[in-house]
Amino acid sequence: MPRGVVPRQPARTGRQDKVRVPQSVGSKNARVGTGAPASLPRAKSRGPGRGKAPVAAPKIRQKTAAKPAASSVAKIKGYNPVAPERVADILKRLDQLYPDVTCALTHANAWELVVATILSAQSTDVNVNRVTPELFRKYPTVQAFAAITPEQLEPDVRSTGFFRNKSKSVVGAAKRIVAEFGGQVPDDMEKLLTLPGVARKTANVVLGSWFKKAEGVVVDTHVHRISRRLELTTQNDPQKIEQDLVRILPREKWILFSHQIIWHGRKLCIARKPKCADCALESLCHAGDKTWSKVEMHQDAKI
């Protein structure tokens, strides 16, 4: 080589003419020779910076097995939501919270309770209690209701919703009680179920709250929702929920349990944003829609 002639040095980026750098060359100390084969793949640059080694391909994370649902974990651990000791603890705490609660519907006799319960469907007890005082002053007896037509009753119960069907049920029940039961509301489940507008919920309310007969458990919207949250049932049908509850609750608690759960649903365990931080049942509740929890939550334990 003639003196004073310096051979051309490779560019720092490794992109000098006619030179291809293999991808495996990533060390800062690697020197790229001018005689590298042209068929090798071109190395990728990290960006505008110079003198930096090419970026290695990102590592692919291996997918791990999904964790089992909380309810599955609970079953594996032997958790039994309807274990007698857990049910007893729930009842004990309800007794402490609501020791002497009664039916929230205002009434003075069995017939007024029948009317109020029919009107409470798809309505609130507060709304019904605003309507019934004037209604019972206007029609003071079951005979007075039996003497009118459903159309005459409709304006008086309009604010409770579904007023046409409710008017037919109330007047029809009054006529049946006067014609077949001597004007007295029967204290028998089978007879009550023959009255228009009276299903098991209404019959259980009348038998339990007025006649003090524990023939079943009242399942209204609060009992439905909270029984599922507490994992006392997984059913959605009211009759199947009642069947589950009568199997696990002592008979002497059937009447009071419904009243307590209804009051609990109004005060704390409300539908959209339950006040879990203030609830005495919180440590026993694993509902998936809790707003605050210090225990494991089960995603299938909700309405």
Side-chain angles (χ1 to χ4, degrees), residues 148-195:
I148 63 175
T149 64
E151 290 74 21
Q152 289 175 278
L153 185 61
E154 286 177 5
D156 299 304
V157 300
R158 180 183 293 270
S159 64
T160 65
F162 300 96
F163 60 93
R164 291 189 178 88
N165 287 336
K166 291 179 181 180
S167 296
K168 292 178 182 178
S169 295
V170 170
V171 172
K175 292 181 182 297
R176 180 73 60 86
I177 289 172
V178 170
E180 298 186 16
F181 302 111
Q184 299 297 317
V185 175
D187 61 353
D188 178 79
M189 174 65 78
E190 297 302 322
K191 293 178 180 179
L192 281 171
L193 293 177
T194 65
L195 302 178

Side-chain angles (χ1 to χ4, degrees), residues 2-19:
R3 182 173 297 182
V5 178
V6 179
R8 183 177 180 181
Q9 299 296 317
R12 292 182 179 180
T13 60
R15 292 185 176 182
Q16 66 274 18
D17 296 342
K18 299 181 180 180
V19 174

Side-chain angles (χ1 to χ4, degrees), residues 217-265:
V217 177
V218 175
V219 179
D220 76 336
T221 181
H222 298 293
V223 177
H224 184 156
R225 183 181 73 254
I226 298 174
S227 295
R228 284 179 56 86
R229 278 181 171 170
L230 290 174
E231 298 177 278
L232 300 179
T233 182
T234 59
Q235 301 294 333
N236 265 317
D237 179 73
Q239 290 192 15
K240 292 182 179 179
I241 292 175
E242 182 183 0
Q243 292 170 5
D244 286 345
L245 293 177
V246 298
R247 278 196 295 265
I248 63 175
L249 298 174
R251 192 183 189 98
E252 62 272 15
K253 289 290 187 178
W254 289 0
I255 299 172
L256 183 58
F257 174 81
S258 296
H259 294 322
Q260 290 173 329
I261 291 295
I262 290 169
W263 281 98
H264 190 58

